[in-house]
Amino acid sequence: MHGEFELINRWLAPAHVSTMDTGVVLGAGDDACLLSPTAGQQLVVSVDTSVEGHHFPAEAPASAVGHRALAVSLSDLAAMGARPRWCLMSLALPVSDAAWVAEFAKGFHALCDAVKVNLVGGDVTAGERAVSVTVMGEAEPARALRRSGARAGDILAVTGALGGGAGGLAAWQAGERDLQHPLLSRYLLPQPRLEAGIALAELASSAIDISDGLLADLGHVLEASKVGAELDAQAIPLAEGLVDMLGEEGAMQAALSGGDDYELLVTLAPEQLAAAQAELASSGLALTAIGRLVEGSGIDGLKMPTKAGWQHFGGGQP
């Protein structure tokens, strides 16, 4: 049996921290960490919690759980156009399972290394298996993207393709276990669009990450910006293999309301669209226009009944 401190010291603590490069004055191992943000930058902070059976299957590979828990938090920084710097991670475990923790740590640390984020502290405790990750990033003053900046006449656009999160869940429920499967990888190994968020910070008027479903998250932007939208549902890019998995109607429902896509929904002035598409194309990512904003409220252009997006209490996908 391994105690929480052994689990932390052996697998979860970062192997090394370079104070000069990372702004970490005091990292993991004390009562709290000490950080030195870049002069003149604003701190951008977000937290997400992933609970077994609600956000990831109990039998999901531990390395994927580690990757996913960090990725969904980083996606919030991407939506703000922020550069990620540090993270904190709290892990609850029903039993002390050293093998599971070791694999979880591999997935978590691999994504930390890939996006240059330093784990600077956290906690391990007994309880229902859950992971809570706090991420901290930086943005130039007045450059952070917000939900409230959209204006009537702006173009609505999305990075990547949608529906892969819901399609991947369906693939898992159908027995698929290969993490290279195009849909399952979208569900269990989402990729936060950090580079896209930073690139779009100078071009977009607002942004949000698509975690609860396109319609639900678009609704948040419309409410914050006090505008309406005309959506061209047929222009929405669908994830690879989604129609084969769910059929045409099911694929559209997944794209509109499935959630767990972690792409970015952005609004741009029409004259900025081409520049934004070219900027993202240089990093291999598409930006697709799917509608426009209008005076008023609500969403027009849907010709099919749709389900609500994810809600933790009172709705959402199982």
Side-chain angles (χ1 to χ4, degrees), residues 37-38 51 77 88 97 156 178 180 189 200 226 236 251 253-254 278 282-283 293 315:
T38 304
V51 179
L77 295 188
L88 300 166
D97 186 340
L156 276 174
D178 182 2
Q180 300 302 312
L189 297 172
L200 292 169
K226 296 179 172 45
I236 297 173
Q253 288 283 4
S282 65
S283 58
L293 300 183

Side-chain angles (χ1 to χ4, degrees), residues 14 111 117 119 124 144 170 273:
L111 184 54
V117 166
L119 176 63
V124 175
L273 179 61

Side-chain angles (χ1 to χ4, degrees), residues 225-279:
S225 295
K226 296 179 172 45
V227 292
E230 292 181 350
L231 195 64
D232 181 0
Q234 298 307 309
I236 297 173
L238 301 179
E240 178 186 353
L242 189 63
V243 174
D244 291 339
M245 172 63 65
L246 299 177
E248 290 187 4
E249 183 174 339
M252 184 57 67
Q253 288 283 4
L256 292 171
S257 305
D260 276 338
D261 281 319
Y262 302 103
E263 297 290 347
L264 300 182
L265 171 66
V266 300
T267 62
L268 313 99
E271 62 270 19
Q272 298 284 20
L273 179 61
Q277 289 174 323
E279 186 73 31

